[in-house]
Amino acid sequence: MIYLDSAATTLEKPGAVPRASAWAMTHLASPGRGGHAPGMRAAELMYQLREQAGRMFHVNGPEQVVLTSNATHGLNIAIRSLVGPGGTAVISGYEHNAVTRPLYAIPGVKVKEAAGPLFDPEGVYAAFEREITSDVDAVICNHVSNVFGFIQPVGRIAQLCKERGVPLIVDASQSAGMLSVDMESWGAAFIAMPGHKGLYGPQGTGLLLCGGQVQPLLYGGTGSLSAQQEMPDFLPDRLEAGTHNVCGAAGLLEGMKFVARTGAGRIHRHERALAGRMMDALERCSGVTVFRGWGDSQSGLCSVIVDGLDCEEAGEMLAKRGIAVRSGLHCAPLAHRTAGTVETGTIRFSFSAFNHPDQVDQAAAAVRELARTAKK
């Protein structure tokens, strides 16, 4: 099988990741729940993970790194911390349902879309300039579109939020482990990310970097201040109720070490080269529409449409040929509405550090075959 769906989950992991998770299953207990050796080893591992994340993402202190079950979990915490009933949020035109659904679940919320043209960072920035007004409770923006690989100008948007005194939530689901994610320079209130994509950790893991006020989403035991009925008022305990996914955390730590050793920039360049190779091959193919940005607006992801062929059907046909991709709306109908593809969806090819050019060539050949078949 040729696996080209890493924007959903990186399937091939560094060998140390599954080994660490398996070891943790029988050697680590619950951190903060006992003074015995398995509990203390677990607490030490969790601290190492927070320190590693702090170094990678320029967080002031390890306590500001909160473990979550995925980026959606973290985004729900962030949104609920800043946007209350009747509140106002500004979002980009390329947000995932992990942002839009939590917002629309808040009674009376007003959501303003700062929608700029696809692969037009200046247009996106101008839209945020228009929409960020004094009544806004939070700005929410993904760093990279999960549909098109469009790198949004988060650094400039962060500066705009600072100037206007509005807290920023960044969804780094498609950038953490590949692009620079800098909590300190952005001054973000929250940055959410999954562990199972660009950080090469197990599914069911994620991180929420916290720089502002926080409100718990879950309530329960933390192993601290157990005599009181209110959640602790300090991080990370305030946001980490219940037993931790220690096995996932052990794997995630090893995945992050792999990224640190390899270099996020090197991984990004590799993925962009593979995406560019795919785009070059398919742009020459009649009947295939390729969505491509130039320069710094494009990450290592390629979305296409085959004329006359339903995208989800095309995805199934590729799967039968041993090529794993993601097709349809990718849980991001807003991004498709902004780009004008909501009626069709796209076929998405996404890459990892473990893919190579031969796999791209085989996948491109399969798409060309589909395009020829669709014409008949």
Side-chain angles (χ1 to χ4, degrees), residues 305-370:
I305 294 173
V306 177
D307 296 348
L309 192 60
D310 177 80
C311 282
E312 294 193 11
E313 182 183 357
E316 292 174 3
M317 294 169 72
L318 289 170
K320 289 178 181 177
R321 289 165 170 79
I323 300 167
V325 300
R326 177 79 184 272
S327 298
L329 297 182
H330 314 92
C331 297
L334 175 58
H336 285 283
R337 285 200 297 272
T338 302
T341 55
V342 73
E343 298 299 325
T344 61
T346 62
I347 307 163
R348 184 185 70 188
F349 300 85
S350 52
F351 309 94
S352 82
F354 296 100
N355 289 122
H356 51 78
D358 286 350
Q359 293 176 321
V360 173
D361 295 343
Q362 292 178 60
V367 175
R368 289 195 295 268
E369 181 185 345
L370 294 186

Side-chain angles (χ1 to χ4, degrees), residues 215-271:
Q215 290 298 325
L217 190 66
L218 297 175
Y219 294 76
T222 60
S224 57
L225 304 183
S226 296
Q228 71 178 37
Q229 289 307 294
E230 298 80 17
M231 289 294 288
D233 61 358
F234 53 86
L235 290 174
D237 297 43
R238 185 163 178 77
L239 299 180
E240 292 185 2
T243 302
H244 294 84
N245 178 5
V246 176
C247 299
L252 177 55
L253 175 58
E254 292 303 323
M256 294 172 68
K257 288 179 179 178
F258 164 77
V259 172
R261 287 194 306 271
T262 308
R266 181 180 174 187
I267 293 173
H268 178 58
R269 289 190 296 273
H270 173 73
E271 293 182 5

